[in-house]
Amino acid sequence: TTWMAEASAAGTVFTVSARKLLDICRALPDGETIKLELDGQQLKLRSGKSRFSLQTLPARDFPRMQIAEGEGIRFSLPQGRLRHLLARVQYAMAVQDIRYYLNGMLVSLQADRLVVAATDGHRLALDATTLPQTHEQGMDVILPRKTVQELTKLLDDSETPVDVLLSRSQVMFAQSGFELRSKVVDGKFPDYQRVIPSGYEKNFVIDRQRLNHALARTAILTNEKYRGVRIALTHGSLRLACNN
């Protein structure tokens, strides 16, 4: 990971290791002043009695991701709502699955709805929200796992709108404090609608908090590997049981 900086006074553009620079800043005391100076191919960093020297790289090699004007679909929604969508679904993304298209999240624009879905082949998470504007043309893209995780960190729970641009090859999320661009996963997401049952023989309503607490107590004795809980539904009763 590299970070590009531009010194406006001298017109100097350079790249430097973002991870090393971040680690240095984190290790310094709060409120400490940091001075940066470019010395040839070295970035000199001074703060108090601490001195650091970081190797820079040619700025011309820094990848610039541009989305062509007029390409893709633009829309906006409150960033708190987008963050809520990502948080409710991202746990179901696969981790280093050979089916690379599962190692991400589907974002589907459908007229006036934004649908997000994730699956690892064993479980499926799905959520949707209504957009303030209607789009005649829909679009499906798969966001990489890392993009979803970083975007969740950048968003907050406010009603401040975030601008979204979806294209076949890239996506962009922009707000007054940041702009995040990412390539999309090249692949076709599974047809999640086919695995969602259209009807249920057993359908009931239960208080969410009561069920959550009952699962937490039962899960204490679950198998460490599978952590499965057996659910037995009878007339007027829901029984949770497990053994290890």
Side-chain angles (χ1 to χ4, degrees):
T1 302
T2 57
W3 171 70
M4 185 173 69
E6 180 174 352
S8 57
T12 303
V13 182
F14 60 91
T15 65
V16 69
S17 170
R19 175 60 62 186
K20 295 298 183 185
L21 186 60
L22 180 60
D23 288 343
I24 292 172
C25 293
R26 283 175 172 170
L28 294 173
D30 292 339
E32 193 76 9
T33 301
I34 301 175
K35 295 182 179 179
L36 302 176
E37 179 184 351
L38 188 62
D39 182 11
Q41 301 300 317
Q42 300 285 326
L43 176 65
K44 306 294 185 180
L45 187 150
R46 294 183 298 161
S47 181
K49 294 184 178 181
S50 300
R51 301 291 185 271
F52 299 91
S53 179
L54 300 177
Q55 182 68 35
T56 63
L57 297 171
R60 62 178 177 273
D61 296 335
F62 192 87
R64 297 179 179 272
M65 302 178 62
Q66 299 292 337
I67 301 178
E69 188 66 28
E71 179 185 356
I73 303 176
R74 296 178 181 270
F75 61 92
S76 63
L77 73 163
Q79 61 174 325
R81 195 185 308 175
L82 178 58
R83 185 175 186 272
H84 184 68
L85 283 177
L86 300 180
R88 285 169 61 91
V89 174
Q90 66 176 347
Y91 72 89
M93 293 187 296
V95 180
Q96 296 181 346
D97 197 296
I98 190 173
R99 297 163 294 181
Y100 58 91
Y101 48 82
L102 297 184
N103 299 320
M105 180 184 297
L106 173 71
V107 176
S108 178
L109 179 62
Q110 305 172 3
D112 64 341
R113 297 176 71 241
L114 184 67
V115 180
V116 293
T119 180
D120 59 3
H122 300 282
R123 56 186 178 179
L124 169 70
L126 177 69
D127 205 354
T129 187
T130 302
L131 298 175
Q133 61 270 56
T134 301
H135 301 270
E136 296 182 1
Q137 180 183 1
M139 182 175 293
D140 292 352
V141 298
I142 303 177
L143 300 183
R145 179 185 182 86
K146 185 68 172 178
T147 300
V148 174
Q149 293 174 334
E150 294 303 319
L151 182 59
T152 304
K153 296 176 184 177
L154 291 170
L155 298 171
D156 57 35
D157 294 323
S158 70
E159 290 296 313
T160 305
V162 56
D163 296 323
V164 182
L165 172 58
L166 302 181
S167 75
R168 297 298 178 186
S169 59
Q170 298 179 28
V171 294
M172 181 190 74
F173 301 89
Q175 201 258 341
S176 58
F178 69 87
E179 180 178 301
L180 173 63
R181 293 175 182 260
S182 170
K183 292 183 178 180
V184 300
V185 177
D186 184 15
K188 183 174 177 58
F189 199 81
D191 185 3
Y192 58 88
Q193 296 287 1
R194 294 181 58 184
V195 302
I196 300 178
S198 57
Y200 298 90
E201 294 182 1
K202 303 294 187 294
N203 198 1
F204 63 94
V205 178
I206 188 171
D207 180 77
R208 185 185 67 86
Q209 201 65 33
R210 287 182 60 195
L211 178 60
N212 186 41
H213 289 165
L215 285 170
R217 291 190 295 269
T218 310
I220 295 173
L221 295 184
T222 57
N223 182 287
E224 292 297 329
K225 183 176 180 180
Y226 299 106
R227 298 188 64 82
V229 174
R230 181 178 177 83
I231 298 179
L233 182 65
T234 59
H235 182 69
S237 174
L238 179 67
R239 184 172 180 267
L240 305 176
C242 71
N243 67 76
N244 60 9

Short mmCIF file of all heavy atoms in Angstrom, two decimals, residues 9-40:
data_model
loop_
_atom_site.label_atom_id
_atom_site.label_comp_id
_atom_site.label_asym_id
_atom_site.label_seq_id
_atom_site.Cartn_x
_atom_site.Cartn_y
_atom_site.Cartn_z
N ALA A 9 3.37 24.04 -2.73
CA ALA A 9 4.28 25.17 -2.90
C ALA A 9 5.36 24.87 -3.93
O ALA A 9 5.65 25.65 -4.82
CB ALA A 9 4.91 25.55 -1.56
N ALA A 10 5.96 23.69 -3.82
CA ALA A 10 7.05 23.33 -4.72
C ALA A 10 6.58 22.53 -5.91
O ALA A 10 7.34 22.25 -6.83
CB ALA A 10 8.12 22.54 -3.96
N GLY A 11 5.28 22.14 -5.92
CA GLY A 11 4.77 21.33 -7.00
C GLY A 11 5.34 19.94 -7.02
O GLY A 11 5.46 19.33 -8.08
N THR A 12 5.72 19.40 -5.86
CA THR A 12 6.35 18.09 -5.78
C THR A 12 5.31 17.02 -5.47
O THR A 12 4.49 17.18 -4.57
CB THR A 12 7.43 18.09 -4.68
OG1 THR A 12 8.38 19.11 -4.95
CG2 THR A 12 8.13 16.74 -4.63
N VAL A 13 5.36 15.94 -6.21
CA VAL A 13 4.46 14.81 -5.99
C VAL A 13 5.32 13.57 -5.75
O VAL A 13 6.28 13.32 -6.47
CB VAL A 13 3.53 14.57 -7.19
CG1 VAL A 13 2.58 13.43 -6.91
CG2 VAL A 13 2.75 15.84 -7.52
N PHE A 14 5.00 12.81 -4.70
CA PHE A 14 5.78 11.61 -4.40
C PHE A 14 4.88 10.57 -3.75
O PHE A 14 3.76 10.87 -3.32
CB PHE A 14 6.94 11.94 -3.47
CG PHE A 14 6.53 12.53 -2.14
CD1 PHE A 14 6.30 11.71 -1.05
CD2 PHE A 14 6.35 13.90 -1.99
CE1 PHE A 14 5.91 12.24 0.17
CE2 PHE A 14 5.96 14.45 -0.78
CZ PHE A 14 5.73 13.61 0.31
N THR A 15 5.36 9.35 -3.68
CA THR A 15 4.64 8.28 -3.00
C THR A 15 5.51 7.71 -1.89
O THR A 15 6.74 7.71 -1.99
CB THR A 15 4.24 7.14 -3.96
OG1 THR A 15 5.42 6.52 -4.44
CG2 THR A 15 3.43 7.68 -5.13
N VAL A 16 4.86 7.21 -0.86
CA VAL A 16 5.57 6.65 0.29
C VAL A 16 4.69 5.57 0.90
O VAL A 16 3.47 5.55 0.68
CB VAL A 16 5.89 7.76 1.31
CG1 VAL A 16 4.62 8.27 1.99
CG2 VAL A 16 6.89 7.28 2.36
N SER A 17 5.28 4.66 1.65
CA SER A 17 4.54 3.57 2.26
C SER A 17 3.47 4.11 3.22
O SER A 17 3.80 4.75 4.22
CB SER A 17 5.49 2.64 3.01
OG SER A 17 4.77 1.71 3.80
N ALA A 18 2.22 3.84 2.92
CA ALA A 18 1.13 4.33 3.77
C ALA A 18 1.13 3.63 5.12
O ALA A 18 0.88 4.26 6.15
CB ALA A 18 -0.21 4.12 3.07
N ARG A 19 1.42 2.33 5.13
CA ARG A 19 1.40 1.58 6.38
C ARG A 19 2.47 2.08 7.35
O ARG A 19 2.22 2.27 8.54
CB ARG A 19 1.61 0.09 6.09
CG ARG A 19 1.72 -0.80 7.32
CD ARG A 19 0.47 -0.72 8.18
NE ARG A 19 -0.69 -1.19 7.45
CZ ARG A 19 -1.93 -1.13 7.92
NH1 ARG A 19 -2.15 -0.57 9.10
NH2 ARG A 19 -2.94 -1.58 7.21
N LYS A 20 3.71 2.30 6.85
CA LYS A 20 4.78 2.77 7.71
C LYS A 20 4.48 4.18 8.25
O LYS A 20 4.71 4.48 9.42
CB LYS A 20 6.11 2.79 6.95
CG LYS A 20 6.60 1.41 6.53
CD LYS A 20 6.87 0.54 7.75
CE LYS A 20 7.43 -0.81 7.33
NZ LYS A 20 7.58 -1.73 8.48
N LEU A 21 3.97 5.03 7.37
CA LEU A 21 3.66 6.40 7.79
C LEU A 21 2.56 6.41 8.84
O LEU A 21 2.62 7.15 9.82
CB LEU A 21 3.24 7.23 6.57
CG LEU A 21 3.00 8.72 6.81
CD1 LEU A 21 4.26 9.40 7.34
CD2 LEU A 21 2.55 9.40 5.53
N LEU A 22 1.55 5.55 8.67
CA LEU A 22 0.47 5.47 9.64
C LEU A 22 0.96 4.93 10.97
O LEU A 22 0.58 5.44 12.04
CB LEU A 22 -0.65 4.58 9.09
CG LEU A 22 -1.88 4.38 9.99
CD1 LEU A 22 -2.54 5.72 10.29
CD2 LEU A 22 -2.87 3.43 9.35
N ASP A 23 1.81 3.91 10.93
CA ASP A 23 2.35 3.35 12.17
C ASP A 23 3.17 4.39 12.94
O ASP A 23 3.13 4.43 14.19
CB ASP A 23 3.22 2.13 11.86
CG ASP A 23 2.39 0.93 11.42
OD1 ASP A 23 1.17 0.95 11.65
OD2 ASP A 23 2.97 0.00 10.82
N ILE A 24 3.92 5.20 12.22
CA ILE A 24 4.71 6.25 12.87
C ILE A 24 3.79 7.26 13.55
O ILE A 24 4.00 7.65 14.71
CB ILE A 24 5.62 6.95 11.85
CG1 ILE A 24 6.72 5.99 11.37
CG2 ILE A 24 6.25 8.21 12.45
CD1 ILE A 24 7.54 6.53 10.23
N CYS A 25 2.76 7.69 12.84
CA CYS A 25 1.83 8.69 13.40
C CYS A 25 1.10 8.14 14.62
O CYS A 25 0.88 8.86 15.60
CB CYS A 25 0.83 9.10 12.33
SG CYS A 25 1.55 10.02 10.95
N ARG A 26 0.74 6.87 14.59
CA ARG A 26 0.05 6.27 15.73
C ARG A 26 0.96 6.18 16.96
O ARG A 26 0.49 6.25 18.09
CB ARG A 26 -0.43 4.87 15.35
CG ARG A 26 -1.68 4.85 14.46
CD ARG A 26 -2.01 3.43 14.05
NE ARG A 26 -3.30 3.36 13.37
CZ ARG A 26 -3.75 2.28 12.74
NH1 ARG A 26 -2.99 1.18 12.69
NH2 ARG A 26 -4.92 2.29 12.14
N ALA A 27 2.26 5.99 16.73
CA ALA A 27 3.19 5.82 17.84
C ALA A 27 3.57 7.13 18.50
O ALA A 27 4.12 7.14 19.61
CB ALA A 27 4.46 5.10 17.35
N LEU A 28 3.27 8.26 17.85
CA LEU A 28 3.61 9.56 18.42
C LEU A 28 2.56 10.00 19.43
O LEU A 28 1.40 9.62 19.34
CB LEU A 28 3.73 10.60 17.30
CG LEU A 28 4.89 10.39 16.31
CD1 LEU A 28 4.77 11.37 15.15
CD2 LEU A 28 6.23 10.53 17.01
N PRO A 29 2.94 10.84 20.40
CA PRO A 29 1.96 11.34 21.39
C PRO A 29 0.87 12.16 20.71
O PRO A 29 1.08 12.78 19.67
CB PRO A 29 2.83 12.21 22.31
CG PRO A 29 4.22 11.72 22.11
CD PRO A 29 4.31 11.29 20.67
N ASP A 30 -0.30 12.18 21.32
CA ASP A 30 -1.42 12.96 20.80
C ASP A 30 -1.07 14.45 20.76
O ASP A 30 -0.48 14.99 21.70
CB ASP A 30 -2.67 12.76 21.67
CG ASP A 30 -3.22 11.34 21.55
OD1 ASP A 30 -2.90 10.68 20.55
OD2 ASP A 30 -3.96 10.92 22.47
N GLY A 31 -1.44 15.09 19.67
CA GLY A 31 -1.21 16.52 19.53
C GLY A 31 0.20 16.89 19.13
O GLY A 31 0.53 18.08 19.03
N GLU A 32 1.06 15.91 18.90
CA GLU A 32 2.45 16.17 18.53
C GLU A 32 2.53 16.72 17.11
O GLU A 32 1.85 16.25 16.20
CB GLU A 32 3.28 14.88 18.63
CG GLU A 32 4.77 15.09 18.57
CD GLU A 32 5.35 15.63 19.86
OE1 GLU A 32 4.61 15.66 20.87
OE2 GLU A 32 6.53 16.02 19.86
N THR A 33 3.37 17.73 16.91
CA THR A 33 3.56 18.32 15.59
C THR A 33 4.51 17.46 14.76
O THR A 33 5.55 17.02 15.26
CB THR A 33 4.14 19.74 15.70
OG1 THR A 33 3.23 20.55 16.46
CG2 THR A 33 4.33 20.36 14.32
N ILE A 34 4.15 17.22 13.49
CA ILE A 34 4.97 16.41 12.59
C ILE A 34 5.46 17.30 11.45
O ILE A 34 4.67 18.00 10.82
CB ILE A 34 4.17 15.22 12.03
CG1 ILE A 34 3.65 14.34 13.17
CG2 ILE A 34 5.02 14.40 11.06
CD1 ILE A 34 2.76 13.21 12.69
N LYS A 35 6.74 17.26 11.19
CA LYS A 35 7.32 18.02 10.10
C LYS A 35 7.84 17.06 9.04
O LYS A 35 8.57 16.11 9.35
CB LYS A 35 8.47 18.90 10.59
CG LYS A 35 8.01 20.00 11.55
CD LYS A 35 9.18 20.88 11.99
CE LYS A 35 8.70 21.98 12.93
NZ LYS A 35 9.84 22.84 13.37
N LEU A 36 7.47 17.29 7.78
CA LEU A 36 7.88 16.45 6.67
C LEU A 36 8.78 17.25 5.74
O LEU A 36 8.52 18.41 5.44
CB LEU A 36 6.66 15.95 5.89
CG LEU A 36 5.62 15.13 6.67
CD1 LEU A 36 4.45 14.79 5.78
CD2 LEU A 36 6.24 13.87 7.23
N GLU A 37 9.84 16.60 5.28
CA GLU A 37 10.77 17.25 4.36
C GLU A 37 11.25 16.22 3.34
O GLU A 37 11.68 15.12 3.70
CB GLU A 37 11.97 17.83 5.11
CG GLU A 37 12.99 18.49 4.19
CD GLU A 37 14.20 18.98 4.95
OE1 GLU A 37 14.17 18.94 6.19
OE2 GLU A 37 15.19 19.38 4.30
N LEU A 38 11.15 16.57 2.06
CA LEU A 38 11.59 15.67 1.00
C LEU A 38 13.05 15.98 0.67
O LEU A 38 13.39 17.08 0.26
CB LEU A 38 10.72 15.86 -0.25
CG LEU A 38 10.94 14.85 -1.38
CD1 LEU A 38 10.61 13.43 -0.91
CD2 LEU A 38 10.07 15.21 -2.58
N ASP A 39 13.92 14.96 0.87
CA ASP A 39 15.34 15.11 0.63
C ASP A 39 15.76 14.09 -0.42
O ASP A 39 16.06 12.94 -0.11
CB ASP A 39 16.12 14.90 1.93
CG ASP A 39 17.62 15.10 1.73
OD1 ASP A 39 18.02 15.59 0.67
OD2 ASP A 39 18.38 14.76 2.66
N GLY A 40 15.78 14.50 -1.69
CA GLY A 40 16.07 13.57 -2.77
C GLY A 40 15.01 12.50 -2.85
O GLY A 40 13.84 12.78 -3.08
#
